[in-house]
Coordinates of all heavy atoms in Angstrom, one line a residue:
M258 N 0.8 -1.2 0.0 CA 0.0 0.0 0.0 C 0.9 1.3 0.0 O 1.8 1.4 0.8 CB -0.9 0.0 1.2 CG -1.9 1.1 1.3 SD -3.0 1.0 -0.1 CE -4.4 2.1 0.4
V259 N 0.6 2.2 -0.9 CA 1.4 3.4 -1.0 C 1.0 4.4 0.1 O -0.1 4.5 0.5 CB 1.3 4.0 -2.4 CG1 -0.1 4.4 -2.7 CG2 2.2 5.1 -2.6
Q260 N 2.1 5.0 0.7 CA 1.9 5.9 1.8 C 1.6 7.3 1.3 O 2.3 7.8 0.4 CB 3.1 6.0 2.6 CG 3.5 4.7 3.4 CD 2.7 4.6 4.7 OE1 2.2 5.5 5.2 NE2 2.6 3.3 5.2
R261 N 0.7 8.0 2.0 CA 0.6 9.5 1.6 C 1.7 10.2 2.3 O 2.2 9.8 3.4 CB -0.8 10.0 2.0 CG -1.2 9.9 3.5 CD -2.6 10.4 3.7 NE -2.7 11.8 3.5 CZ -3.8 12.5 3.6 NH1 -4.9 11.9 3.8 NH2 -3.8 13.8 3.4
L262 N 2.2 11.3 1.7 CA 3.3 12.1 2.2 C 2.8 13.1 3.2 O 1.6 13.5 3.2 CB 4.0 12.8 1.1 CG 4.6 11.9 0.0 CD1 5.1 12.8 -1.2 CD2 5.7 11.0 0.5
T263 N 3.7 13.5 4.1 CA 3.3 14.5 5.1 C 3.4 15.9 4.4 O 4.0 16.1 3.4 CB 4.3 14.5 6.3 OG1 5.6 14.8 5.7 CG2 4.4 13.1 6.9
D264 N 2.8 16.9 5.1 CA 2.8 18.2 4.6 C 4.2 18.7 4.4 O 4.5 19.4 3.4 CB 2.1 19.2 5.6 CG 0.6 19.1 5.4 OD1 0.1 18.7 4.3 OD2 -0.1 19.4 6.4
T265 N 5.1 18.4 5.3 CA 6.5 18.8 5.2 C 7.2 18.2 4.0 O 7.9 18.9 3.3 CB 7.3 18.4 6.5 OG1 6.5 18.7 7.6 CG2 8.6 19.1 6.6
E266 N 6.9 17.0 3.8 CA 7.5 16.3 2.6 C 7.0 16.9 1.3 O 7.7 17.1 0.3 CB 7.2 14.8 2.6 CG 8.0 14.0 3.7 CD 7.5 12.6 3.9 OE1 6.2 12.3 3.8 OE2 8.3 11.7 4.2
I267 N 5.7 17.2 1.3 CA 5.1 17.8 0.1 C 5.6 19.2 -0.2 O 6.0 19.5 -1.3 CB 3.5 17.8 0.2 CG1 3.0 16.4 0.3 CG2 2.9 18.6 -1.0 CD1 1.6 16.3 0.9
D268 N 5.7 20.0 0.9 CA 6.2 21.4 0.7 C 7.7 21.3 0.2 O 8.1 22.1 -0.7 CB 6.1 22.1 2.0 CG 4.7 22.5 2.3 OD1 3.8 22.4 1.4 OD2 4.4 22.8 3.5
A269 N 8.5 20.4 0.7 CA 9.9 20.3 0.3 C 9.9 19.9 -1.2 O 10.7 20.5 -2.0 CB 10.6 19.2 1.1
A270 N 9.1 18.9 -1.6 CA 9.1 18.5 -3.0 C 8.6 19.6 -3.9 O 9.2 19.7 -5.0 CB 8.2 17.3 -3.1
L271 N 7.7 20.4 -3.5 CA 7.2 21.4 -4.4 C 8.2 22.5 -4.6 O 8.1 23.3 -5.6 CB 5.9 22.0 -3.8 CG 4.6 21.1 -3.9 CD1 3.4 21.8 -3.4 CD2 4.4 20.7 -5.4
K272 N 9.2 22.6 -3.8 CA 10.3 23.6 -4.0 C 11.0 23.3 -5.3 O 11.5 24.3 -6.0 CB 11.2 23.7 -2.8 CG 10.6 24.4 -1.7 CD 11.6 24.8 -0.6 CE 10.9 25.5 0.5 NZ 11.1 24.9 1.8
E273 N 11.1 22.1 -5.7 CA 11.8 21.7 -6.9 C 10.9 21.4 -8.1 O 11.3 21.2 -9.2 CB 12.9 20.7 -6.7 CG 12.6 19.6 -5.7 CD 12.3 18.2 -6.3 OE1 12.4 18.0 -7.5 OE2 11.9 17.4 -5.5
L274 N 9.6 21.4 -7.8 CA 8.6 21.2 -8.8 C 7.9 22.6 -9.1 O 6.8 22.8 -8.8 CB 7.5 20.2 -8.4 CG 8.0 18.7 -8.5 CD1 7.0 17.8 -7.7 CD2 8.2 18.2 -9.9
A275 N 8.7 23.4 -9.8 CA 8.2 24.8 -10.0 C 7.0 24.7 -10.9 O 6.9 24.0 -11.9 CB 9.3 25.6 -10.7
G276 N 6.0 25.5 -10.6 CA 4.8 25.6 -11.4 C 3.7 24.7 -10.8 O 2.5 24.9 -11.0
W277 N 4.0 23.7 -10.0 CA 3.0 22.9 -9.3 C 2.5 23.6 -8.0 O 3.3 24.2 -7.3 CB 3.5 21.5 -9.0 CG 3.7 20.7 -10.3 CD1 4.9 20.7 -11.0 CD2 2.8 19.8 -10.9 NE1 4.7 19.9 -12.1 CE2 3.5 19.3 -12.1 CE3 1.5 19.4 -10.6 CZ2 2.8 18.4 -12.9 CZ3 0.9 18.5 -11.5 CH2 1.5 18.0 -12.6
R278 N 1.3 23.5 -7.8 CA 0.7 24.1 -6.6 C -0.2 23.1 -5.8 O -0.6 22.1 -6.4 CB -0.2 25.3 -7.0 CG -1.3 24.9 -7.9 CD -2.1 26.1 -8.4 NE -3.3 25.6 -9.1 CZ -3.3 25.3 -10.4 NH1 -2.1 25.5 -11.1 NH2 -4.4 24.9 -11.0
R279 N -0.4 23.3 -4.6 CA -1.3 22.5 -3.8 C -2.7 23.0 -4.1 O -3.0 24.2 -4.3 CB -1.0 22.6 -2.3 CG 0.3 22.0 -2.0 CD 0.6 21.9 -0.5 NE -0.2 20.7 0.0 CZ 0.2 20.2 1.2 NH1 1.2 20.6 1.9 NH2 -0.5 19.1 1.6
V280 N -3.6 22.0 -4.2 CA -5.0 22.4 -4.5 C -5.8 22.7 -3.2 O -5.7 21.9 -2.3 CB -5.7 21.2 -5.3 CG1 -7.2 21.5 -5.5 CG2 -5.0 20.8 -6.5
E281 N -6.4 23.8 -3.2 CA -7.1 24.2 -2.0 C -8.2 23.2 -1.7 O -9.0 22.8 -2.5 CB -7.7 25.6 -2.3 CG -8.5 26.2 -1.2 CD -7.9 27.6 -0.8 OE1 -6.9 28.0 -1.3 OE2 -8.5 28.2 0.1
G282 N -8.3 22.9 -0.4 CA -9.4 22.0 0.1 C -9.3 20.6 -0.2 O -10.2 19.8 0.2
R283 N -8.2 20.1 -0.8 CA -8.0 18.7 -1.0 C -6.5 18.4 -1.1 O -5.7 19.3 -1.3 CB -8.7 18.2 -2.2 CG -8.3 18.8 -3.6 CD -9.1 18.2 -4.7 NE -8.8 16.8 -4.9 CZ -8.9 16.1 -6.0 NH1 -9.2 16.8 -7.1 NH2 -8.6 14.8 -6.1
S284 N -6.2 17.1 -0.9 CA -4.8 16.7 -0.9 C -4.4 16.3 -2.3 O -4.5 15.1 -2.7 CB -4.6 15.5 0.1 OG -3.2 15.3 0.2
A285 N -4.0 17.3 -3.1 CA -3.6 17.1 -4.5 C -2.7 18.2 -4.9 O -2.7 19.3 -4.3 CB -4.9 17.1 -5.3
I286 N -1.9 18.0 -6.0 CA -1.1 19.0 -6.6 C -1.6 19.2 -8.0 O -2.1 18.3 -8.7 CB 0.4 18.7 -6.6 CG1 0.7 17.4 -7.3 CG2 0.9 18.8 -5.1 CD1 2.2 17.1 -7.4
A287 N -1.5 20.5 -8.5 CA -2.0 20.8 -9.9 C -1.0 21.7 -10.6 O -0.3 22.5 -10.0 CB -3.4 21.4 -9.7
R288 N -1.1 21.6 -11.9 CA -0.4 22.6 -12.7 C -1.1 22.8 -14.0 O -1.8 21.9 -14.6 CB 1.0 22.0 -13.0 CG 1.9 23.0 -13.8 CD 3.3 22.7 -13.9 NE 4.0 23.7 -14.8 CZ 5.2 23.7 -15.2 NH1 6.0 22.8 -14.8 NH2 5.7 24.7 -15.9
S289 N -1.1 24.1 -14.5 CA -1.7 24.4 -15.8 C -0.6 24.6 -16.9 O 0.4 25.1 -16.6 CB -2.4 25.8 -15.6 OG -3.3 25.7 -14.5
F290 N -1.0 24.1 -18.0 CA 0.0 24.2 -19.2 C -0.7 24.9 -20.3 O -1.9 24.6 -20.6 CB 0.4 22.8 -19.6 CG 1.2 22.1 -18.6 CD1 0.5 21.3 -17.6 CD2 2.6 22.1 -18.5 CE1 1.2 20.6 -16.6 CE2 3.3 21.4 -17.5 CZ 2.6 20.7 -16.6
K291 N 0.0 25.6 -21.1 CA -0.5 26.3 -22.3 C 0.4 26.1 -23.5 O 1.6 26.2 -23.3 CB -0.7 27.8 -22.1 CG -1.5 28.4 -23.1 CD -1.7 29.9 -22.9 CE -2.5 30.6 -24.0 NZ -2.5 32.0 -23.9
F292 N -0.1 25.6 -24.6 CA 0.6 25.3 -25.8 C 0.3 26.2 -26.9 O -0.7 27.0 -26.8 CB 0.4 23.8 -26.1 CG 0.9 22.9 -25.1 CD1 0.1 22.5 -24.0 CD2 2.2 22.5 -25.0 CE1 0.5 21.7 -23.0 CE2 2.7 21.7 -24.0 CZ 1.8 21.3 -23.0
A293 N 1.0 26.1 -28.0 CA 0.7 26.9 -29.2 C -0.7 26.6 -29.8 O -1.4 27.5 -30.3 CB 1.8 26.7 -30.3
D294 N -1.0 25.3 -29.8 CA -2.3 24.9 -30.4 C -2.7 23.5 -29.8 O -2.1 23.0 -29.0 CB -2.1 24.8 -31.9 CG -0.9 23.9 -32.3 OD1 -0.6 23.0 -31.5 OD2 -0.4 24.1 -33.4
F295 N -3.8 23.0 -30.3 CA -4.4 21.8 -29.8 C -3.4 20.6 -30.1 O -3.3 19.7 -29.3 CB -5.7 21.5 -30.5 CG -6.3 20.2 -30.1 CD1 -6.9 20.0 -28.9 CD2 -6.3 19.1 -31.0 CE1 -7.4 18.7 -28.5 CE2 -6.8 17.9 -30.7 CZ -7.4 17.7 -29.4
N296 N -2.8 20.6 -31.3 CA -1.9 19.5 -31.6 C -0.8 19.3 -30.6 O -0.5 18.2 -30.2 CB -1.4 19.8 -33.0 CG -0.9 18.5 -33.7 OD1 -1.5 17.5 -33.6 ND2 0.3 18.6 -34.3
Q297 N -0.2 20.4 -30.2 CA 0.9 20.4 -29.2 C 0.3 19.9 -27.9 O 1.0 19.1 -27.2 CB 1.4 21.8 -29.0 CG 2.2 22.4 -30.2 CD 3.5 21.7 -30.5 OE1 4.2 21.4 -29.5 NE2 3.8 21.3 -31.7
A298 N -0.8 20.4 -27.5 CA -1.4 20.0 -26.2 C -1.8 18.5 -26.2 O -1.5 17.8 -25.2 CB -2.7 20.9 -25.9
F299 N -2.3 18.1 -27.3 CA -2.7 16.7 -27.3 C -1.5 15.7 -27.4 O -1.6 14.6 -26.8 CB -3.8 16.4 -28.4 CG -4.6 15.2 -28.1 CD1 -5.6 15.2 -27.2 CD2 -4.3 14.0 -28.8 CE1 -6.4 14.1 -27.0 CE2 -5.0 12.8 -28.5 CZ -6.1 12.9 -27.6
G300 N -0.5 16.1 -28.1 CA 0.7 15.4 -28.1 C 1.3 15.2 -26.7 O 1.8 14.1 -26.3
F301 N 1.3 16.3 -26.0 CA 1.8 16.3 -24.6 C 1.0 15.3 -23.8 O 1.5 14.5 -23.0 CB 1.6 17.7 -24.1 CG 1.9 18.0 -22.6 CD1 3.1 17.9 -22.1 CD2 0.8 18.3 -21.8 CE1 3.3 18.2 -20.7 CE2 1.0 18.6 -20.5 CZ 2.3 18.5 -19.9
M302 N -0.3 15.3 -23.9 CA -1.2 14.4 -23.2 C -1.0 13.0 -23.6 O -1.0 12.1 -22.7 CB -2.7 14.8 -23.4 CG -3.0 16.2 -22.8 SD -4.7 16.7 -23.2 CE -5.7 15.7 -22.0
A303 N -0.7 12.8 -24.8 CA -0.5 11.4 -25.3 C 0.8 10.8 -24.6 O 0.8 9.6 -24.2 CB -0.4 11.4 -26.8
R304 N 1.8 11.6 -24.5 CA 3.0 11.1 -23.9 C 2.8 10.8 -22.4 O 3.3 9.9 -21.9 CB 4.2 12.2 -24.1 CG 4.5 12.3 -25.6 CD 5.4 13.5 -25.9 NE 6.8 13.2 -25.5 CZ 7.7 14.2 -25.5 NH1 7.4 15.4 -25.9 NH2 9.0 13.9 -25.2
I305 N 2.0 11.7 -21.8 CA 1.7 11.5 -20.4 C 0.9 10.2 -20.2 O 1.1 9.4 -19.3 CB 1.0 12.7 -19.8 CG1 1.9 13.9 -19.8 CG2 0.5 12.4 -18.3 CD1 1.2 15.2 -19.4
A306 N -0.1 10.0 -21.1 CA -1.0 8.9 -21.0 C -0.2 7.6 -21.1 O -0.4 6.6 -20.3 CB -2.0 8.9 -22.1
L307 N 0.8 7.5 -21.9 CA 1.7 6.3 -22.0 C 2.4 6.0 -20.8 O 2.5 4.9 -20.3 CB 2.6 6.4 -23.2 CG 2.0 6.4 -24.6 CD1 3.0 6.7 -25.7 CD2 1.2 5.1 -24.9
M308 N 3.0 7.1 -20.2 CA 3.7 6.9 -18.9 C 2.7 6.6 -17.8 O 3.0 5.7 -16.9 CB 4.5 8.2 -18.6 CG 5.3 8.1 -17.3 SD 6.4 6.7 -17.2 CE 7.8 7.3 -18.1
A309 N 1.6 7.2 -17.8 CA 0.6 6.9 -16.7 C 0.2 5.4 -16.7 O 0.1 4.8 -15.7 CB -0.7 7.8 -16.9
E310 N 0.0 4.9 -17.9 CA -0.3 3.4 -18.0 C 0.8 2.6 -17.5 O 0.6 1.6 -16.8 CB -0.6 3.1 -19.5 CG -2.0 3.2 -19.8 CD -2.9 2.3 -19.0 OE1 -3.1 1.1 -19.3 OE2 -3.5 2.8 -18.0
K311 N 2.1 3.0 -17.8 CA 3.2 2.2 -17.4 C 3.3 2.3 -15.9 O 3.7 1.3 -15.2 CB 4.5 2.9 -18.0 CG 5.7 2.0 -18.0 CD 6.9 2.7 -18.6 CE 7.2 2.5 -20.0 NZ 8.4 3.1 -20.5
L312 N 3.1 3.4 -15.3 CA 3.2 3.6 -13.8 C 1.9 3.1 -13.1 O 1.9 3.1 -11.9 CB 3.4 5.0 -13.5 CG 4.7 5.7 -14.0 CD1 4.7 7.2 -13.6 CD2 5.9 5.0 -13.4
D313 N 0.9 2.8 -13.8 CA -0.5 2.5 -13.3 C -0.9 3.7 -12.3 O -1.3 3.5 -11.2 CB -0.5 1.2 -12.5 CG -1.9 0.8 -12.1 OD1 -2.9 1.2 -12.8 OD2 -2.1 0.1 -11.1
H314 N -0.6 4.9 -12.8 CA -0.9 6.1 -12.0 C -1.4 7.1 -13.0 O -0.7 7.6 -13.8 CB 0.3 6.5 -11.3 CG 0.0 7.5 -10.2 ND1 -0.7 7.1 -9.1 CD2 0.2 8.8 -10.0 CE1 -0.9 8.2 -8.3 NE2 -0.3 9.2 -8.8
H315 N -2.7 7.5 -12.8 CA -3.4 8.3 -13.8 C -3.8 9.7 -13.3 O -4.2 9.8 -12.2 CB -4.6 7.5 -14.3 CG -4.3 6.1 -14.8 ND1 -4.2 5.0 -13.9 CD2 -4.0 5.7 -16.0 CE1 -3.8 4.0 -14.6 NE2 -3.7 4.3 -15.9
P316 N -3.6 10.6 -14.2 CA -3.9 12.0 -13.8 C -5.4 12.3 -13.9 O -6.1 11.7 -14.6 CB -3.2 12.9 -14.8 CG -3.1 12.0 -16.0 CD -3.0 10.6 -15.6
E317 N -5.8 13.3 -13.1 CA -7.1 13.9 -13.3 C -6.8 15.1 -14.2 O -5.9 15.9 -13.8 CB -7.7 14.4 -12.0 CG -8.0 13.4 -11.0 CD -8.5 13.9 -9.7 OE1 -8.9 15.1 -9.6 OE2 -8.4 13.2 -8.7
W318 N -7.4 15.2 -15.4 CA -7.0 16.3 -16.2 C -8.1 16.7 -17.1 O -9.1 16.0 -17.3 CB -5.8 15.9 -17.0 CG -5.8 14.7 -17.9 CD1 -6.9 13.9 -18.1 CD2 -4.7 14.1 -18.6 NE1 -6.6 12.8 -18.9 CE2 -5.2 12.9 -19.3 CE3 -3.4 14.4 -18.8 CZ2 -4.4 12.1 -20.0 CZ3 -2.6 13.6 -19.6 CH2 -3.1 12.5 -20.2
S319 N -7.9 17.9 -17.7 CA -8.9 18.4 -18.7 C -8.1 19.2 -19.7 O -7.0 19.7 -19.5 CB -9.9 19.3 -18.0 OG -9.4 20.5 -17.6
N320 N -8.7 19.3 -20.9 CA -8.1 19.9 -22.0 C -9.1 20.8 -22.7 O -10.2 20.4 -23.0 CB -7.5 18.9 -23.0 CG -7.3 19.4 -24.4 OD1 -7.9 19.0 -25.4 ND2 -6.4 20.4 -24.6
V321 N -8.8 22.1 -23.0 CA -9.6 22.9 -23.8 C -8.6 23.6 -24.8 O -7.7 24.3 -24.4 CB -10.3 24.0 -23.0 CG1 -11.1 24.9 -23.9 CG2 -11.2 23.4 -21.9
Y322 N -8.8 23.2 -26.1 CA -7.9 23.6 -27.1 C -6.4 23.5 -26.8 O -5.9 22.4 -26.8 CB -8.3 25.0 -27.6 CG -7.5 25.6 -28.7 CD1 -7.3 24.8 -29.9 CD2 -6.9 26.8 -28.6 CE1 -6.5 25.3 -30.9 CE2 -6.1 27.3 -29.7 CZ -5.9 26.6 -30.8 OH -5.1 27.1 -31.8
N323 N -5.8 24.6 -26.5 CA -4.3 24.6 -26.2 C -3.9 24.5 -24.8 O -2.8 24.6 -24.4 CB -3.6 25.8 -26.9 CG -4.1 27.1 -26.3 OD1 -5.1 27.2 -25.7 ND2 -3.3 28.2 -26.6
R324 N -4.9 24.4 -23.9 CA -4.7 24.4 -22.5 C -4.9 23.0 -21.9 O -5.9 22.3 -22.2 CB -5.6 25.3 -21.7 CG -5.3 26.8 -22.0 CD -6.4 27.7 -21.4 NE -6.2 29.1 -21.8 CZ -5.3 29.9 -21.3 NH1 -4.6 29.6 -20.2 NH2 -5.2 31.1 -21.8
V325 N -4.0 22.6 -20.9 CA -4.2 21.3 -20.3 C -4.0 21.6 -18.8 O -3.1 22.3 -18.3 CB -3.1 20.3 -20.7 CG1 -3.2 19.0 -19.9 CG2 -3.1 20.1 -22.2
E326 N -5.0 21.2 -18.0 CA -5.0 21.3 -16.5 C -4.8 19.9 -16.0 O -5.6 19.0 -16.3 CB -6.4 21.8 -16.0 CG -6.8 23.2 -16.6 CD -6.0 24.3 -16.1 OE1 -5.5 24.2 -15.0 OE2 -5.9 25.4 -16.8
I327 N -3.8 19.8 -15.1 CA -3.5 18.4 -14.5 C -3.5 18.5 -13.0 O -2.9 19.4 -12.4 CB -2.1 17.9 -15.0 CG1 -2.1 17.8 -16.5 CG2 -1.8 16.6 -14.4 CD1 -0.7 17.4 -17.1
T328 N -4.2 17.6 -12.4 CA -4.3 17.4 -11.0 C -3.8 16.0 -10.6 O -4.2 15.0 -11.3 CB -5.7 17.6 -10.4 OG1 -6.1 18.9 -10.7 CG2 -5.8 17.4 -8.9
L329 N -2.9 15.9 -9.7 CA -2.3 14.6 -9.3 C -2.6 14.3 -7.8 O -2.4 15.2 -7.0 CB -0.8 14.6 -9.5 CG -0.3 14.8 -10.9 CD1 1.2 14.8 -11.0 CD2 -0.9 13.8 -11.9
T330 N -3.2 13.2 -7.6 CA -3.4 12.7 -6.2 C -3.4 11.2 -6.3 O -3.6 10.6 -7.3 CB -4.7 13.3 -5.6 OG1 -4.7 12.9 -4.2 CG2 -5.9 12.8 -6.3
T331 N -3.2 10.5 -5.1 CA -3.2 9.1 -5.1 C -4.5 8.6 -4.4 O -4.5 8.7 -3.2 CB -1.9 8.5 -4.5 OG1 -0.8 9.1 -5.2 CG2 -1.9 7.0 -4.5
H332 N -5.4 8.1 -5.1 CA -6.7 7.7 -4.5 C -6.5 6.6 -3.5 O -7.1 6.6 -2.5 CB -7.7 7.3 -5.6 CG -7.7 8.3 -6.8 ND1 -7.3 7.9 -8.1 CD2 -8.0 9.6 -6.8 CE1 -7.5 9.0 -8.9 NE2 -7.9 10.0 -8.1
D333 N -5.6 5.7 -3.9 CA -5.3 4.5 -3.1 C -4.7 4.9 -1.7 O -4.8 4.2 -0.7 CB -4.3 3.6 -3.8 CG -4.9 3.0 -5.0 OD1 -6.1 3.1 -5.3 OD2 -4.1 2.4 -5.8
A334 N -4.1 6.1 -1.7 CA -3.5 6.5 -0.4 C -4.3 7.6 0.3 O -4.0 8.1 1.4 CB -2.0 7.1 -0.7
G335 N -5.3 8.1 -0.4 CA -6.1 9.2 0.1 C -5.3 10.5 0.3 O -5.5 11.3 1.2
G336 N -4.4 10.7 -0.6 CA -3.6 12.0 -0.6 C -2.5 12.0 -1.6 O -2.5 11.2 -2.6
I337 N -1.5 12.8 -1.4 CA -0.3 12.9 -2.3 C 0.7 11.9 -1.9 O 1.1 11.8 -0.7 CB 0.2 14.4 -2.2 CG1 -0.8 15.4 -2.6 CG2 1.5 14.5 -3.1 CD1 -0.6 16.8 -2.2
S338 N 1.2 11.1 -2.8 CA 2.2 10.1 -2.5 C 3.4 10.4 -3.5 O 3.4 11.2 -4.3 CB 1.7 8.7 -2.8 OG 1.6 8.5 -4.2
A339 N 4.4 9.5 -3.3 CA 5.6 9.6 -4.1 C 5.3 9.4 -5.6 O 6.0 9.9 -6.5 CB 6.7 8.6 -3.6
R340 N 4.2 8.6 -5.8 CA 3.8 8.4 -7.2 C 3.4 9.7 -7.9 O 3.7 9.8 -9.1 CB 2.7 7.4 -7.3 CG 3.0 6.0 -6.9 CD 1.8 5.1 -6.9 NE 2.2 3.8 -6.3 CZ 1.3 2.9 -6.0 NH1 0.0 3.0 -6.3 NH2 1.7 1.8 -5.3
D341 N 2.8 10.6 -7.2 CA 2.4 11.8 -7.8 C 3.6 12.7 -8.1 O 3.7 13.3 -9.2 CB 1.5 12.6 -6.8 CG 0.2 11.8 -6.5 OD1 -0.5 11.5 -7.5 OD2 -0.1 11.5 -5.4
L342 N 4.6 12.6 -7.2 CA 5.8 13.4 -7.5 C 6.6 12.8 -8.7 O 7.1 13.6 -9.5 CB 6.7 13.4 -6.2 CG 6.1 13.9 -4.9 CD1 7.1 13.9 -3.8 CD2 5.6 15.3 -5.1
K343 N 6.6 11.5 -8.8 CA 7.3 10.9 -9.9 C 6.6 11.3 -11.2 O 7.3 11.6 -12.2 CB 7.2 9.3 -9.7 CG 8.0 8.6 -10.7 CD 8.1 7.1 -10.4 CE 9.0 6.4 -11.4 NZ 9.1 4.9 -11.1
L344 N 5.3 11.2 -11.3 CA 4.6 11.6 -12.5 C 4.8 13.1 -12.8 O 5.0 13.5 -13.9 CB 3.1 11.2 -12.4 CG 2.3 11.4 -13.7 CD1 2.9 10.6 -14.9 CD2 0.8 10.9 -13.5
A345 N 4.7 13.9 -11.7 CA 4.9 15.4 -11.9 C 6.3 15.6 -12.5 O 6.5 16.5 -13.4 CB 4.7 16.1 -10.6
R346 N 7.3 14.9 -12.0 CA 8.7 15.1 -12.5 C 8.8 14.7 -14.0 O 9.4 15.3 -14.8 CB 9.7 14.3 -11.7 CG 9.9 14.9 -10.3 CD 11.1 14.3 -9.6 NE 11.1 14.7 -8.2 CZ 10.7 14.0 -7.2 NH1 10.3 12.8 -7.4 NH2 10.7 14.5 -6.0
F347 N 8.1 13.6 -14.3 CA 8.1 13.1 -15.7 C 7.4 14.2 -16.6 O 8.0 14.5 -17.7 CB 7.4 11.8 -15.9 CG 7.2 11.4 -17.3 CD1 8.2 10.9 -18.1 CD2 5.9 11.6 -17.9 CE1 8.0 10.6 -19.4 CE2 5.7 11.3 -19.2 CZ 6.8 10.8 -20.0
I348 N 6.3 14.7 -16.2 CA 5.6 15.7 -16.9 C 6.5 16.9 -17.2 O 6.5 17.5 -18.3 CB 4.3 16.1 -16.2 CG1 3.3 14.9 -16.3 CG2 3.6 17.3 -16.8 CD1 2.1 15.0 -15.4
D349 N 7.2 17.3 -16.1 CA 8.1 18.5 -16.2 C 9.3 18.2 -17.2 O 9.9 19.2 -17.6 CB 8.6 18.9 -14.9 CG 7.5 19.6 -14.1 OD1 6.4 19.9 -14.6 OD2 7.7 20.0 -12.9
S350 N 9.6 17.0 -17.4 CA 10.7 16.6 -18.3 C 10.4 16.7 -19.7 O 11.2 16.6 -20.6 CB 11.3 15.2 -17.9 OG 10.4 14.2 -18.4
L351 N 9.1 16.8 -20.0 CA 8.6 16.7 -21.4 C 8.9 18.0 -22.2 O 9.0 19.1 -21.6 CB 7.1 16.4 -21.5 CG 6.8 15.0 -21.0 CD1 5.3 14.8 -21.1 CD2 7.4 13.9 -21.8
Ligands
LIG422 C1 -6.9 -0.5 -9.5 C2 -5.8 0.5 -10.0 O1 -4.6 -0.1 -9.9 C3 -5.8 1.7 -9.1 O2 -7.1 2.3 -9.1 C4 -4.8 2.7 -9.6 C5 -5.0 3.2 -11.0 N1 -4.5 4.6 -11.2 C6 -4.4 5.4 -10.2 N2 -4.2 6.7 -10.4 C7 -4.1 7.6 -9.4 N3 -3.8 8.9 -9.7 N4 -4.3 7.2 -8.1 C8 -4.5 6.0 -7.8 O3 -4.7 5.7 -6.6 C9 -4.6 5.0 -8.8 N5 -4.8 3.7 -8.6

């Protein structure tokens, strides 16, 4: 069973995950992305989708044209876990 991280651990991790923020009122992190067009945005999502399947860890997300909103949390842990940080780091590497 994956462990949820403590507030201190999350705050420390967010210092190196620039652009990610904690979601008000729930234990999750989120980041907004904006691309040149839909093609760029959807290509980005496709790459994340392949990694999400590999990790068995899936984002909550939405897309409107060139914008992608991503929220990460670990349902199995009832909060933010190391899996969310791993996926966030992968997303930032794209
Ligand atoms: C049954 C399945 O392995 C689980 O539901 C996985 C799938 N993807 C998941 N994704 C996320 N973000 N959190 C989870 O707890 C989670 N659990």
